[in-house]
Amino acid sequence: MMAEGPDPVVADLEQEVTCGICHDRYQKPKLLPCCHYYCKQCILTLSSRYRPNQPFPCPDCREPTLLPDNNPDRLTTAFFINRMKALHSRMEKAHGKLETTCEMCSGGKATAFCRQCVNFICEDCVRPHQRMKVFATHIVSTLEQLKQGGVKELTFENPPPPKCEDHEELKKIFCFDCNKLICRDCIVIEHAGHNYEFVKKAAPATRKKLTEHLSPLKNLLPDLSTAVNQVKGTKQKIQAQKELTERQVNAKFQELHDILDQCKVRVLRKSSVLADSKMEKLTVQEKGLDLSLGTAQSLIAFVERTLENASDEELITMQSQVVSRIDAEVVKRGKEAANLDPVEKDDFEVEGFVSEDLKKLCENNVFVYEGKVDPTKFTVEGNGARTAEISTLNNFSILVECNTQFKHHTIQVALKSLVEESSQQLQAVPVRDGVYSVEYTPRIRGRHHLLISVDNQPIPGSPFSVFVKIPPTKLDKPVRVIRGINNPRYMAFNSSEELIVTDRDSDVLVLDKKGERIRSISKSKHGFSNISGVAVDKEDNIYVCDNGESCVYKFNKREDLLKRFGTRGIGPKELNWPRGIAVAGDQVFVCDQNNHRVQVLTTERLVKQIGSKGTGNGHFNGPEDIAVDNEQMVYVTDYSNHRVQVLTMGGRFIRSIGKKGSGQGDLSRPHGVCVTSFVYVADFDNNRVSVFTKDGQFVTSFGNGHITSHLYGVAVDNDGFVYVCSAGSVVIF
């Protein structure tokens, strides 16, 4: 008799309740922001491998994750996983994998299961279920019936709502403003005036909303799957053509081995370099696409399992996090939609191989002509020839088309700073035939020229542009201070790298990077009254917010007034204490502080209004400053809500960064904001600049002890120096 195979339902459940890190049953499962879940202790162990307050990658999707206060208890509990564990345990009992005793009398061996009692019962307890009226509606199934019926016979009813810790009432209500379950007493005491609804009434709409949000993510799957297959197919074709080319090259060069030995090496190297270059790019693309596909599939599976298994309370508690994650994934994948085709074509041709005059081909590969070096035979590879990190070892390679007829040459390498009068002489060390390695540790950040020459002849591309960056974690002390400004508020840079600063009760100053005044836009001429925000567009026009006049000035690069727009009021295109300002294309974003909104204008018309007074997502309480990044995302410092809100250009809320407090990652009345590859926030009350990733993960803070008070604007120049407006000065880190 054939042995019975494992039940597929039990096998699927076994996989669902097994942690992907420890490969054991989940213990206190916690949900990461990317919607993957692991044991609480596994998350803590994983995060401990990284420095405090350093994001760690999710093991599934590699999404950077910052553990709040290094405490996994701050993460959302994956409620339904605990329920699935209990369900899996019952399934194993039903299939005889675990010893099953009666759960009603704690006596004999269980032979059946009562769905209403949710208990395994013995024969002695089955008989009362069959005779007594109180059990008349109970459905009792034998263990054999359970094996055939599977999960449907064992599913649990939704658990009752949890009790309020403060009032001992059931939490049947959800507060949308605070994103938490509450009881009836909470409405009267802590949540008066908030937007709330009964869970039973709100849950259907939440389920519908999550289901609708899945559609655009599901629509990405066919294109991602097709793209992965295309990349794999292209790699296979390139590999096949590489192997064919190698066979052809070997056969042809074997005929004239003595004459063509050097040429053979060169051609095979070109073939390998060409194929490896294509394969490397395609492999990177394949991994990225595989990750995108896997992330999308994983997120869809998670939401569908949540919709199927989560209770109403659990579902509505998680909906904000899940919707935000889905939206972010759709936006991210939408930007990648234009890059789904293979980044390399499957064509493959080695230059020079088809030449009929093989002897001439060999001669063409000689480095020496008229006794001199041919610098065109030298090329550079490696990220270190483009970007580097200060005080860190960086490297790149110099490649030479190999030829034994030329061995005596000198390679000169120098790294010259464009920020300071400084130059580093570097050494090119031979590592193998035709390959030199250059290692260096830059001492100065910012833009540099990398000069490479052979016997005093520059190679193609020299000088190369290298940007030496400094990570925010190394911005510990000021490098200099610009003094002599009464009340500096906000800053911007024009295309000539001149610093434009608003001096609250005085002029708009135009300074060089040393802090020397070049020119100014005069208060006496234009009648400024308490100026603050400043921005520069791509034509170097200057926009200035005037709080006292409740207007915005537009000047050309010669400081001539072109336009004044906005009047005091609460209506469209009317302003009340405009503060921060940013320009994106022909649109001007203005923080209309006392009207608690952001107005998007042109000099001629109102484009849109974003937000209104409140504490919820997309609402403001005194918006202070604003920035637009190179991905067209809008960042607003929400002054009295102690946070930074991230929005789309159309005003749709994406995420919130920071919360009220003085700890790491907290904010207190934030003012200026500047966005590069990081988000820099002037943390007013905490006298520091806090730095976050664009996803809202805290990175570091600096300036405390070096900045006395009155932090307003923050700006970053083209060399990575961070400028901060403080009391009577601009401090540069």
Side-chain angles (χ1 to χ4, degrees), residues 682-701:
D683 192 357
F684 188 86
D685 287 340
N686 292 321
N687 286 330
R688 66 190 179 190
V689 176
S690 291
V691 187
F692 302 85
T693 66
K694 288 187 176 182
D695 289 335
Q697 304 296 325
F698 175 73
V699 177
T700 188
S701 64

Side-chain angles (χ1 to χ4, degrees), residues 87-207:
L87 178 60
H88 179 261
S89 176
R90 293 193 181 281
M91 288 296 294
E92 287 191 319
K93 289 180 180 180
H95 285 73
K97 292 187 177 182
L98 296 176
E99 182 67 24
T100 310
T101 57
C102 182
E103 294 174 337
M104 293 193 70
C105 68
S106 300
K109 183 177 180 180
T111 59
F113 178 81
C114 176
R115 184 168 180 176
Q116 280 65 38
C117 297
V118 198
N119 282 321
F120 285 93
I121 56 178
C122 63
E123 280 295 327
D124 292 336
C125 295
V126 169
R127 284 190 288 274
H129 272 70
Q130 294 171 338
R131 292 197 315 267
M132 299 176 68
K133 289 184 179 180
V134 69
F135 297 122
T137 60
H138 287 211
I139 300 173
V140 178
S141 303
T142 66
L143 296 186
E144 189 59 34
Q145 289 171 330
L146 284 182
K147 290 182 182 179
Q148 299 172 1
V151 174
K152 292 181 180 179
E153 295 292 332
L154 292 170
T155 50
F156 304 144
E157 300 295 328
N158 283 340
K163 277 191 175 183
C164 178
E165 299 82 1
D166 299 321
H167 309 116
E168 292 299 312
E169 288 274 341
L170 292 180
K171 294 182 179 180
K172 295 184 177 182
I173 301 164
F174 186 79
C175 177
F176 291 96
D177 287 347
C178 302
N179 198 37
K180 62 186 291 188
L181 293 169
I182 60 174
C183 70
R184 290 179 182 269
D185 290 349
C186 291
I187 297 175
V188 179
I189 301 172
E190 296 95 348
H191 299 267
H194 287 198
N195 180 21
Y196 57 84
E197 183 58 270
F198 282 96
V199 169
K200 289 293 183 185
K201 186 173 181 181
T206 300
R207 292 181 184 275

